[in-house]
mmCIF file of all heavy atoms in Angstrom:
data_model
loop_
_atom_site.group_PDB
_atom_site.id
_atom_site.type_symbol
_atom_site.label_atom_id
_atom_site.label_comp_id
_atom_site.label_asym_id
_atom_site.label_seq_id
_atom_site.Cartn_x
_atom_site.Cartn_y
_atom_site.Cartn_z
ATOM 1 N N LEU A 27 190.031 -3.887 47.464
ATOM 2 C CA LEU A 27 189.186 -4.349 48.562
ATOM 3 C C LEU A 27 188.514 -3.219 49.326
ATOM 4 O O LEU A 27 187.747 -3.463 50.252
ATOM 5 C CB LEU A 27 190.030 -5.200 49.521
ATOM 6 C CG LEU A 27 190.644 -6.434 48.842
ATOM 7 C CD1 LEU A 27 191.608 -7.153 49.796
ATOM 8 C CD2 LEU A 27 189.551 -7.394 48.381
ATOM 9 N N ASP A 28 188.775 -1.999 48.941
ATOM 10 C CA ASP A 28 188.256 -0.820 49.623
ATOM 11 C C ASP A 28 186.720 -0.777 49.610
ATOM 12 O O ASP A 28 186.101 -0.892 48.572
ATOM 13 C CB ASP A 28 188.868 0.389 48.896
ATOM 14 C CG ASP A 28 188.295 1.705 49.349
ATOM 15 O OD1 ASP A 28 187.819 1.775 50.495
ATOM 16 O OD2 ASP A 28 188.327 2.644 48.545
ATOM 17 N N GLY A 29 186.120 -0.616 50.798
ATOM 18 C CA GLY A 29 184.655 -0.619 50.871
ATOM 19 C C GLY A 29 184.026 0.762 50.947
ATOM 20 O O GLY A 29 182.815 0.886 51.094
ATOM 21 N N HIS A 30 184.830 1.827 50.875
ATOM 22 C CA HIS A 30 184.274 3.190 50.943
ATOM 23 C C HIS A 30 183.651 3.539 49.587
ATOM 24 O O HIS A 30 184.372 3.774 48.633
ATOM 25 C CB HIS A 30 185.373 4.212 51.223
ATOM 26 C CG HIS A 30 186.055 4.039 52.543
ATOM 27 N ND1 HIS A 30 187.144 3.229 52.717
ATOM 28 C CD2 HIS A 30 185.794 4.585 53.753
ATOM 29 C CE1 HIS A 30 187.531 3.285 53.976
ATOM 30 N NE2 HIS A 30 186.737 4.102 54.637
ATOM 31 N N ASP A 31 182.309 3.594 49.541
ATOM 32 C CA ASP A 31 181.719 3.863 48.228
ATOM 33 C C ASP A 31 180.921 5.162 48.156
ATOM 34 O O ASP A 31 180.325 5.468 47.128
ATOM 35 C CB ASP A 31 180.859 2.676 47.770
ATOM 36 C CG ASP A 31 179.712 2.370 48.714
ATOM 37 O OD1 ASP A 31 179.587 3.050 49.757
ATOM 38 O OD2 ASP A 31 178.938 1.447 48.416
ATOM 39 N N ARG A 32 180.943 5.938 49.245
ATOM 40 C CA ARG A 32 180.157 7.184 49.220
ATOM 41 C C ARG A 32 180.645 8.133 48.139
ATOM 42 O O ARG A 32 179.841 8.712 47.410
ATOM 43 C CB ARG A 32 180.260 7.905 50.565
ATOM 44 C CG ARG A 32 179.387 7.318 51.615
ATOM 45 C CD ARG A 32 179.382 8.273 52.791
ATOM 46 N NE ARG A 32 179.009 7.577 54.004
ATOM 47 C CZ ARG A 32 179.219 8.069 55.221
ATOM 48 N NH1 ARG A 32 179.855 9.222 55.375
ATOM 49 N NH2 ARG A 32 178.825 7.403 56.265
ATOM 50 N N GLY A 33 181.935 8.309 48.076
ATOM 51 C CA GLY A 33 182.508 9.243 47.098
ATOM 52 C C GLY A 33 182.177 8.822 45.677
ATOM 53 O O GLY A 33 181.765 9.640 44.852
ATOM 54 N N ALA A 34 182.326 7.524 45.384
ATOM 55 C CA ALA A 34 182.059 7.020 44.029
ATOM 56 C C ALA A 34 180.597 7.243 43.655
ATOM 57 O O ALA A 34 180.284 7.675 42.540
ATOM 58 C CB ALA A 34 182.413 5.536 43.940
ATOM 59 N N LYS A 35 179.697 6.969 44.609
ATOM 60 C CA LYS A 35 178.268 7.143 44.318
ATOM 61 C C LYS A 35 177.906 8.614 44.162
ATOM 62 O O LYS A 35 177.081 8.979 43.317
ATOM 63 C CB LYS A 35 177.433 6.497 45.422
ATOM 64 C CG LYS A 35 177.461 4.980 45.347
ATOM 65 C CD LYS A 35 176.581 4.339 46.396
ATOM 66 C CE LYS A 35 176.420 2.856 46.115
ATOM 67 N NZ LYS A 35 175.845 2.141 47.283
ATOM 68 N N TYR A 36 178.545 9.439 44.985
ATOM 69 C CA TYR A 36 178.311 10.877 44.905
ATOM 70 C C TYR A 36 178.735 11.407 43.528
ATOM 71 O O TYR A 36 177.994 12.149 42.881
ATOM 72 C CB TYR A 36 179.096 11.551 46.035
ATOM 73 C CG TYR A 36 179.175 13.053 45.967
ATOM 74 C CD1 TYR A 36 178.089 13.844 46.364
ATOM 75 C CD2 TYR A 36 180.336 13.685 45.530
ATOM 76 C CE1 TYR A 36 178.174 15.223 46.305
ATOM 77 C CE2 TYR A 36 180.428 15.056 45.466
ATOM 78 C CZ TYR A 36 179.340 15.830 45.861
ATOM 79 O OH TYR A 36 179.424 17.192 45.785
ATOM 80 N N ILE A 37 179.893 10.981 43.099
ATOM 81 C CA ILE A 37 180.396 11.417 41.788
ATOM 82 C C ILE A 37 179.506 10.869 40.662
ATOM 83 O O ILE A 37 179.184 11.566 39.709
ATOM 84 C CB ILE A 37 181.863 10.961 41.591
ATOM 85 C CG1 ILE A 37 182.790 11.681 42.581
ATOM 86 C CG2 ILE A 37 182.334 11.171 40.148
ATOM 87 C CD1 ILE A 37 182.911 13.171 42.390
ATOM 88 N N ALA A 38 179.067 9.612 40.810
ATOM 89 C CA ALA A 38 178.202 9.008 39.786
ATOM 90 C C ALA A 38 176.919 9.813 39.621
ATOM 91 O O ALA A 38 176.494 10.113 38.504
ATOM 92 C CB ALA A 38 177.877 7.555 40.158
ATOM 93 N N ARG A 39 176.323 10.192 40.738
ATOM 94 C CA ARG A 39 175.072 10.969 40.661
ATOM 95 C C ARG A 39 175.296 12.338 40.034
ATOM 96 O O ARG A 39 174.502 12.806 39.219
ATOM 97 C CB ARG A 39 174.452 11.126 42.059
ATOM 98 C CG ARG A 39 173.612 9.921 42.451
ATOM 99 C CD ARG A 39 172.757 10.238 43.676
ATOM 100 N NE ARG A 39 173.587 10.493 44.856
ATOM 101 C CZ ARG A 39 173.998 9.547 45.695
ATOM 102 N NH1 ARG A 39 173.654 8.299 45.502
ATOM 103 N NH2 ARG A 39 174.744 9.848 46.731
ATOM 104 N N ALA A 40 176.416 12.962 40.439
ATOM 105 C CA ALA A 40 176.711 14.295 39.893
ATOM 106 C C ALA A 40 176.898 14.218 38.379
ATOM 107 O O ALA A 40 176.433 15.088 37.637
ATOM 108 C CB ALA A 40 177.962 14.863 40.561
ATOM 109 N N LEU A 41 177.558 13.175 37.916
ATOM 110 C CA LEU A 41 177.794 13.026 36.471
ATOM 111 C C LEU A 41 176.484 12.744 35.742
ATOM 112 O O LEU A 41 176.249 13.250 34.643
ATOM 113 C CB LEU A 41 178.812 11.914 36.212
ATOM 114 C CG LEU A 41 180.241 12.212 36.707
ATOM 115 C CD1 LEU A 41 181.113 10.965 36.590
ATOM 116 C CD2 LEU A 41 180.864 13.375 35.939
ATOM 117 N N ARG A 42 175.619 11.933 36.358
ATOM 118 C CA ARG A 42 174.297 11.700 35.755
ATOM 119 C C ARG A 42 173.532 13.019 35.632
ATOM 120 O O ARG A 42 172.958 13.327 34.588
ATOM 121 C CB ARG A 42 173.472 10.739 36.615
ATOM 122 C CG ARG A 42 172.026 10.623 36.115
ATOM 123 C CD ARG A 42 171.090 10.047 37.140
ATOM 124 N NE ARG A 42 171.020 10.898 38.321
ATOM 125 C CZ ARG A 42 170.500 10.538 39.483
ATOM 126 N NH1 ARG A 42 170.004 9.334 39.622
ATOM 127 N NH2 ARG A 42 170.485 11.358 40.511
ATOM 128 N N ASP A 43 173.557 13.808 36.713
ATOM 129 C CA ASP A 43 172.812 15.067 36.702
ATOM 130 C C ASP A 43 173.382 16.056 35.703
ATOM 131 O O ASP A 43 172.707 16.998 35.298
ATOM 132 C CB ASP A 43 172.777 15.675 38.109
ATOM 133 C CG ASP A 43 171.956 14.812 39.069
ATOM 134 O OD1 ASP A 43 171.167 13.968 38.578
ATOM 135 O OD2 ASP A 43 172.113 14.960 40.295
ATOM 136 N N ALA A 44 174.630 15.834 35.323
ATOM 137 C CA ALA A 44 175.233 16.707 34.307
ATOM 138 C C ALA A 44 174.960 16.170 32.894
ATOM 139 O O ALA A 44 175.440 16.727 31.913
ATOM 140 C CB ALA A 44 176.733 16.829 34.545
ATOM 141 N N GLY A 45 174.207 15.056 32.798
ATOM 142 C CA GLY A 45 173.790 14.559 31.489
ATOM 143 C C GLY A 45 174.627 13.414 30.935
ATOM 144 O O GLY A 45 174.416 12.987 29.804
ATOM 145 N N PHE A 46 175.567 12.894 31.723
ATOM 146 C CA PHE A 46 176.393 11.787 31.234
ATOM 147 C C PHE A 46 175.729 10.442 31.556
ATOM 148 O O PHE A 46 174.941 10.334 32.492
ATOM 149 C CB PHE A 46 177.778 11.812 31.883
ATOM 150 C CG PHE A 46 178.511 13.110 31.682
ATOM 151 C CD1 PHE A 46 178.932 13.857 32.766
ATOM 152 C CD2 PHE A 46 178.764 13.599 30.409
ATOM 153 C CE1 PHE A 46 179.604 15.065 32.594
ATOM 154 C CE2 PHE A 46 179.438 14.802 30.218
ATOM 155 C CZ PHE A 46 179.854 15.532 31.323
ATOM 156 N N GLU A 47 176.077 9.426 30.776
ATOM 157 C CA GLU A 47 175.650 8.069 31.118
ATOM 158 C C GLU A 47 176.749 7.424 31.956
ATOM 159 O O GLU A 47 177.889 7.278 31.499
ATOM 160 C CB GLU A 47 175.384 7.242 29.853
ATOM 161 C CG GLU A 47 173.974 7.449 29.345
ATOM 162 C CD GLU A 47 173.618 6.638 28.114
ATOM 163 O OE1 GLU A 47 174.422 5.818 27.643
ATOM 164 O OE2 GLU A 47 172.496 6.846 27.608
ATOM 165 N N VAL A 48 176.396 7.058 33.160
ATOM 166 C CA VAL A 48 177.375 6.514 34.098
ATOM 167 C C VAL A 48 177.118 5.024 34.297
ATOM 168 O O VAL A 48 176.012 4.625 34.655
ATOM 169 C CB VAL A 48 177.265 7.219 35.465
ATOM 170 C CG1 VAL A 48 178.290 6.649 36.438
ATOM 171 C CG2 VAL A 48 177.445 8.720 35.314
ATOM 172 N N ILE A 49 178.114 4.229 34.049
ATOM 173 C CA ILE A 49 177.997 2.805 34.310
ATOM 174 C C ILE A 49 178.699 2.545 35.633
ATOM 175 O O ILE A 49 179.879 2.852 35.797
ATOM 176 C CB ILE A 49 178.630 1.954 33.181
ATOM 177 C CG1 ILE A 49 177.847 2.140 31.886
ATOM 178 C CG2 ILE A 49 178.637 0.471 33.555
ATOM 179 C CD1 ILE A 49 178.429 3.144 30.955
ATOM 180 N N TYR A 50 177.950 2.032 36.595
ATOM 181 C CA TYR A 50 178.531 1.784 37.903
ATOM 182 C C TYR A 50 178.711 0.272 38.068
ATOM 183 O O TYR A 50 177.788 -0.486 37.815
ATOM 184 C CB TYR A 50 177.622 2.355 39.005
ATOM 185 C CG TYR A 50 178.200 2.199 40.380
ATOM 186 C CD1 TYR A 50 179.408 2.828 40.714
ATOM 187 C CD2 TYR A 50 177.589 1.403 41.348
ATOM 188 C CE1 TYR A 50 179.970 2.662 41.975
ATOM 189 C CE2 TYR A 50 178.142 1.243 42.606
ATOM 190 C CZ TYR A 50 179.331 1.876 42.915
ATOM 191 O OH TYR A 50 179.894 1.703 44.156
ATOM 192 N N THR A 51 179.914 -0.129 38.491
ATOM 193 C CA THR A 51 180.181 -1.574 38.547
ATOM 194 C C THR A 51 180.257 -2.125 39.960
ATOM 195 O O THR A 51 180.442 -3.315 40.140
ATOM 196 C CB THR A 51 181.499 -1.926 37.834
ATOM 197 O OG1 THR A 51 182.538 -1.104 38.368
ATOM 198 C CG2 THR A 51 181.397 -1.713 36.343
ATOM 199 N N GLY A 52 180.123 -1.237 40.965
ATOM 200 C CA GLY A 52 180.087 -1.741 42.329
ATOM 201 C C GLY A 52 181.467 -1.917 42.951
ATOM 202 O O GLY A 52 182.493 -1.614 42.353
ATOM 203 N N LEU A 53 181.431 -2.448 44.166
ATOM 204 C CA LEU A 53 182.646 -2.565 44.984
ATOM 205 C C LEU A 53 183.531 -3.734 44.568
ATOM 206 O O LEU A 53 183.093 -4.656 43.897
ATOM 207 C CB LEU A 53 182.243 -2.787 46.447
ATOM 208 C CG LEU A 53 181.602 -1.609 47.187
ATOM 209 C CD1 LEU A 53 181.039 -2.099 48.519
ATOM 210 C CD2 LEU A 53 182.619 -0.504 47.403
ATOM 211 N N ARG A 54 184.757 -3.675 45.023
ATOM 212 C CA ARG A 54 185.711 -4.793 44.971
ATOM 213 C C ARG A 54 185.920 -5.367 43.580
ATOM 214 O O ARG A 54 185.740 -6.554 43.323
ATOM 215 C CB ARG A 54 185.259 -5.906 45.929
ATOM 216 C CG ARG A 54 185.253 -5.400 47.347
ATOM 217 C CD ARG A 54 185.064 -6.438 48.413
ATOM 218 N NE ARG A 54 184.938 -5.756 49.692
ATOM 219 C CZ ARG A 54 183.801 -5.271 50.187
ATOM 220 N NH1 ARG A 54 182.673 -5.423 49.539
ATOM 221 N NH2 ARG A 54 183.800 -4.629 51.334
ATOM 222 N N GLN A 55 186.330 -4.496 42.689
ATOM 223 C CA GLN A 55 186.574 -4.927 41.323
ATOM 224 C C GLN A 55 188.064 -5.107 41.071
ATOM 225 O O GLN A 55 188.878 -4.315 41.534
ATOM 226 C CB GLN A 55 186.042 -3.859 40.363
ATOM 227 C CG GLN A 55 184.547 -3.636 40.479
ATOM 228 C CD GLN A 55 183.767 -4.846 40.032
ATOM 229 O OE1 GLN A 55 183.932 -5.302 38.912
ATOM 230 N NE2 GLN A 55 182.947 -5.388 40.912
ATOM 231 N N THR A 56 188.399 -6.132 40.322
ATOM 232 C CA THR A 56 189.792 -6.288 39.904
ATOM 233 C C THR A 56 190.050 -5.327 38.747
ATOM 234 O O THR A 56 189.124 -4.987 37.986
ATOM 235 C CB THR A 56 190.071 -7.715 39.401
ATOM 236 O OG1 THR A 56 189.237 -7.959 38.259
ATOM 237 C CG2 THR A 56 189.793 -8.764 40.470
ATOM 238 N N PRO A 57 191.279 -4.883 38.571
ATOM 239 C CA PRO A 57 191.593 -4.039 37.415
ATOM 240 C C PRO A 57 191.204 -4.731 36.105
ATOM 241 O O PRO A 57 190.746 -4.074 35.170
ATOM 242 C CB PRO A 57 193.113 -3.854 37.516
ATOM 243 C CG PRO A 57 193.395 -3.963 38.976
ATOM 244 C CD PRO A 57 192.434 -5.005 39.484
ATOM 245 N N GLU A 58 191.328 -6.038 36.041
ATOM 246 C CA GLU A 58 190.967 -6.796 34.837
ATOM 247 C C GLU A 58 189.477 -6.641 34.533
ATOM 248 O O GLU A 58 189.088 -6.410 33.378
ATOM 249 C CB GLU A 58 191.304 -8.289 35.004
ATOM 250 C CG GLU A 58 192.779 -8.627 34.902
ATOM 251 C CD GLU A 58 193.583 -8.260 36.164
ATOM 252 O OE1 GLU A 58 192.962 -7.903 37.196
ATOM 253 O OE2 GLU A 58 194.823 -8.332 36.111
ATOM 254 N N ALA A 59 188.637 -6.799 35.570
ATOM 255 C CA ALA A 59 187.186 -6.689 35.366
ATOM 256 C C ALA A 59 186.809 -5.257 34.977
ATOM 257 O O ALA A 59 185.920 -5.035 34.144
ATOM 258 C CB ALA A 59 186.435 -7.112 36.625
ATOM 259 N N ILE A 60 187.489 -4.290 35.552
ATOM 260 C CA ILE A 60 187.196 -2.887 35.238
ATOM 261 C C ILE A 60 187.547 -2.591 33.780
ATOM 262 O O ILE A 60 186.746 -2.006 33.038
ATOM 263 C CB ILE A 60 187.973 -1.939 36.184
ATOM 264 C CG1 ILE A 60 187.424 -2.074 37.617
ATOM 265 C CG2 ILE A 60 187.878 -0.484 35.706
ATOM 266 C CD1 ILE A 60 188.269 -1.399 38.685
ATOM 267 N N ALA A 61 188.716 -3.020 33.350
ATOM 268 C CA ALA A 61 189.142 -2.745 31.973
ATOM 269 C C ALA A 61 188.233 -3.458 30.973
ATOM 270 O O ALA A 61 187.830 -2.879 29.957
ATOM 271 C CB ALA A 61 190.594 -3.175 31.782
ATOM 272 N N ALA A 62 187.864 -4.711 31.273
ATOM 273 C CA ALA A 62 186.991 -5.462 30.363
ATOM 274 C C ALA A 62 185.625 -4.787 30.256
ATOM 275 O O ALA A 62 185.067 -4.643 29.158
ATOM 276 C CB ALA A 62 186.833 -6.904 30.848
ATOM 277 N N ALA A 63 185.102 -4.342 31.390
ATOM 278 C CA ALA A 63 183.804 -3.674 31.376
ATOM 279 C C ALA A 63 183.894 -2.374 30.576
ATOM 280 O O ALA A 63 182.994 -2.047 29.799
ATOM 281 C CB ALA A 63 183.325 -3.393 32.796
ATOM 282 N N ALA A 64 184.983 -1.641 30.743
ATOM 283 C CA ALA A 64 185.139 -0.367 30.043
ATOM 284 C C ALA A 64 185.114 -0.581 28.526
ATOM 285 O O ALA A 64 184.515 0.198 27.789
ATOM 286 C CB ALA A 64 186.444 0.314 30.459
ATOM 287 N N VAL A 65 185.742 -1.650 28.074
ATOM 288 C CA VAL A 65 185.779 -1.933 26.635
ATOM 289 C C VAL A 65 184.381 -2.316 26.140
ATOM 290 O O VAL A 65 183.898 -1.788 25.141
ATOM 291 C CB VAL A 65 186.804 -3.045 26.324
ATOM 292 C CG1 VAL A 65 186.664 -3.519 24.880
ATOM 293 C CG2 VAL A 65 188.224 -2.523 26.564
ATOM 294 N N GLN A 66 183.703 -3.228 26.842
ATOM 295 C CA GLN A 66 182.360 -3.653 26.411
ATOM 296 C C GLN A 66 181.373 -2.489 26.427
ATOM 297 O O GLN A 66 180.518 -2.369 25.557
ATOM 298 C CB GLN A 66 181.839 -4.783 27.308
ATOM 299 C CG GLN A 66 182.592 -6.084 27.109
ATOM 300 C CD GLN A 66 182.229 -7.151 28.135
ATOM 301 O OE1 GLN A 66 181.129 -7.156 28.681
ATOM 302 N NE2 GLN A 66 183.158 -8.047 28.407
#
Side-chain angles (χ1 to χ4, degrees):
Chain A
L27 300 173
D28 172 26
H30 297 88
D31 60 358
R32 281 191 202 164
K35 287 183 169 166
Y36 170 78
I37 294 295
R39 276 193 295 271
L41 293 171
R42 172 198 62 194
D43 293 342
F46 304 122
E47 274 181 4
V48 180
I49 294 97
Y50 183 62
T51 53
L53 290 169
R54 298 190 186 86
Q55 298 294 304
T56 62
E58 285 76 10
I60 292 169
V65 170
Q66 291 171 27

